[in-house]
Amino acid sequence: MFAFTEDEIVRYSRHILLPEVGGVGQQKLKEARVLIVGAGGLGSPAAFYLAAAGIGTIGIVDDDVVDLSNLQRQILHRTQDVGTPKVESARRALEDLNPGVKVVPYRFRLDAGNVMDLIREYDVIVDGVDNFATRYLLNDACVMAGKPLVDAGILRWDGLVMTIRPGEGPCYRCVFPEPPPPGAIPSCQEAGIIGAIAGIMGTIQALETVKLILGVGETLTGRLLVVDALEGRFRQVTARRDPGCPVCGENPTITQLVEYDLACDIRGNGAGDRTAAAGGAAN
Amino acid sequence: MAVRVRIPVLMRNLTGGESQVTAEGRTVAEVFSDLDRRFPGVKERVYDEEGKLRRFINVYVNEKDIREMQGEETPLADGDEVAIVPAIAGGGPKDRSSASIDR
Ligand SMILES: [Zn+2]
């Protein structure tokens, strides 16, 4: 027997009906610990679906506060949450949805000094960050720690998503060996984003996370899903592990965590952002 | 050799908003040259100062990474699809900044 209450059996009944989930799978979800980095555009839908799915523990990292302009896509947060820390507003939203989920807020910026300790506590990491510095840092840390990382990026009408399973497929650096220099791609500057692309990509991240935990199906490992929302087109391209990859290759040259100084928030186009550091906030 | 080229959103300002264009060339490099003639600026986007493909832009022929084939010298056949896919990190969390770049 599983340790489910009657309410839980009803709440998760549509899961339990699925042969790929069942009581055993639902129990796995309940025992799982998922860390979501960024409570923004991607983190919002990912967190909602993971909480609804009954993931036992959801950690959320974000140092930012809710801004009115976030609400167009960051659906964890409400109008009345403007000015409050995103991790607090996220916790409220997720606990309202499913009080059976334990939400652990981390109100700080992910950096080279704290990332290893943090990811060690979790089974799957979801990348919902807005900048390349944190993205590469998280990739390198997850490769070193052997933690699966579900990565997605969004910009304007485009989205990319892949699932990194260290040792089993390519990492982010295998696919994109180096981050672009500041300003080459408007990752920090305001380039605009259509709200619903965040919903699509974040939801795919939740799906990938659930599959990883259940051990079912095929994850987006070794392939990259490229979404062009303007054209209404999903395509996938292959991604191979690079034997010369500096972090997961045969002779890794990155053996300690490095943080790129991609302080485009400061230098790039004088964008005048309120947050000085390159990481932390979520898209 | 006519191929279809998928243009990412970030480069569509060069193609007049077109998401897909046709181009001529026997190799990926020739296709980029053809594109650059018709849409000046394409080469600057995909090549660095040393003339090498930028490390944060991937090029796929029929969904396969050209780095797994012959790079820019990867031969093309009529009707092939070339896709340009840049790395993207995210979109505008710091919303109040008005700067917008459209290189
Ligand atoms: Zn790698």
Side-chain angles (χ1 to χ4, degrees):
Chain A
M1 267 312 286
F2 303 105
F4 291 123
T5 64
E6 272 185 41
D7 274 357
E8 283 176 319
I9 290 167
V10 176
R11 179 186 281 269
Y12 303 121
S13 56
R14 302 304 190 273
H15 265 173
I16 294 169
L17 281 169
L18 293 170
E20 295 81 8
V21 185
V24 176
Q26 193 61 47
Q27 184 66 28
K28 285 184 187 171
L29 296 173
K30 190 177 181 178
E31 286 165 9
R33 300 174 59 88
V34 176
L35 183 70
I36 300 172
V37 185
L42 294 165
S44 287
F48 266 132
Y49 272 108
L50 292 171
I55 299 294
T57 305
I58 298 178
I60 300 188
V61 193
D62 204 307
D63 68 341
D64 215 356
V65 296
V66 179
D67 189 275
L68 186 59
S69 59
N70 298 149
L71 303 183
Q72 159 259 17
R73 66 196 180 283
Q74 302 184 11
I75 58 173
L76 276 171
H77 318 297
R78 305 164 301 179
T79 307
Q80 69 231 61
D81 296 324
V82 169
T84 61
K86 285 187 180 176
V87 288
E88 288 309 326
S89 130
R91 172 158 71 176
R92 191 271 316 151
L94 299 175
E95 288 177 352
D96 278 356
L97 174 61
N98 189 349
V101 171
K102 185 183 173 205
V103 179
V104 187
Y106 300 99
R107 193 186 171 195
F108 51 72
R109 195 177 87 79
L110 198 77
D111 63 30
N114 60 29
V115 62
M116 289 308 267
D117 283 341
L118 198 55
I119 65 176
R120 187 174 297 128
E121 305 287 313
Y122 291 88
D123 304 314
V124 181
I125 319 298
V126 175
D127 180 341
V129 306
D130 67 317
N131 66 89
F132 284 107
T134 313
R135 188 168 299 270
Y136 280 82
L137 176 69
L138 201 49
N139 174 74
D140 297 352
C142 286
V143 168
M144 289 176 192
K147 297 283 181 182
L149 170 66
V150 185
D151 181 283
I154 48 175
L155 194 61
R156 294 189 180 164
W157 297 79
D158 279 357
L160 289 181
V161 56
M162 67 184 288
T163 294
I164 296 156
R165 302 172 78 166
E168 292 175 46
C171 78
Y172 196 78
R173 277 185 197 274
C174 293
V175 180
F176 295 108
E178 276 171 26
I185 286 179
S187 58
C188 304
Q189 294 89 348
E190 178 58 65
I193 176 86
I194 193 75
I197 189 76
I200 292 175
M201 305 314 286
T203 303
I204 292 173
Q205 287 180 290
L207 204 45
E208 290 287 290
T209 302
V210 165
K211 289 191 299 182
L212 282 168
I213 294 164
L214 296 174
V216 300
E218 280 183 49
T219 54
L220 290 164
T221 306
R223 54 204 172 108
L224 190 59
L225 188 65
V226 183
V227 180
D228 177 341
L230 204 51
E231 292 287 303
R233 212 177 286 272
F234 284 62
R235 62 192 353 181
Q236 63 168 36
V237 293
T238 56
R240 228 189 252 176
R241 216 173 150 187
D242 176 6
C245 174
V247 66
C248 82
E250 285 157 7
N251 296 299
T253 51
I254 299 171
T255 51
Q256 278 195 318
L257 291 173
V258 288
E259 228 173 316
Y260 285 97
D261 180 24
L262 299 177
C264 35
D265 300 332
I266 302 164
R267 284 178 290 170
N269 271 9
D273 296 310
R274 287 167 296 175
T275 315
N283 59 39
Chain B
M1 221 58 79
V3 298
R4 286 170 297 138
V5 184
R6 305 283 315 172
I7 307 293
V9 171
L10 284 170
M11 285 174 64
R12 283 183 206 163
N13 60 324
L14 298 177
T15 60
E18 290 299 316
S19 61
Q20 182 175 307
V21 298
T22 55
E24 294 286 330
R26 287 163 299 175
T27 62
V28 171
E30 286 186 13
V31 160
F32 284 148
S33 294
D34 183 48
L35 285 178
D36 197 63
R37 270 191 296 276
R38 290 157 52 215
F39 309 110
V42 165
K43 271 188 160 174
E44 197 195 320
R45 266 337 155 76
V46 297
Y47 291 111
D48 64 18
E49 297 70 25
E50 288 156 26
K52 287 192 290 197
L53 270 180
R54 293 186 187 277
R55 306 261 284 166
F56 54 88
I57 291 180
N58 288 352
V59 180
Y60 300 89
V61 174
N62 301 334
E63 305 188 342
K64 210 169 163 201
D65 194 331
I66 62 167
R67 286 179 303 199
E68 296 169 19
M69 297 184 285
Q70 288 157 256
E72 292 159 73
E73 298 312 311
T74 301
L76 298 173
D78 241 349
D80 277 353
E81 188 188 70
V82 176
I84 304 169
V85 178
I88 50 178
K94 306 186 178 72
D95 296 281
R96 290 285 166 84
S97 65
S98 55
S100 142
I101 75 167
D102 211 14
R103 289 175 41 143

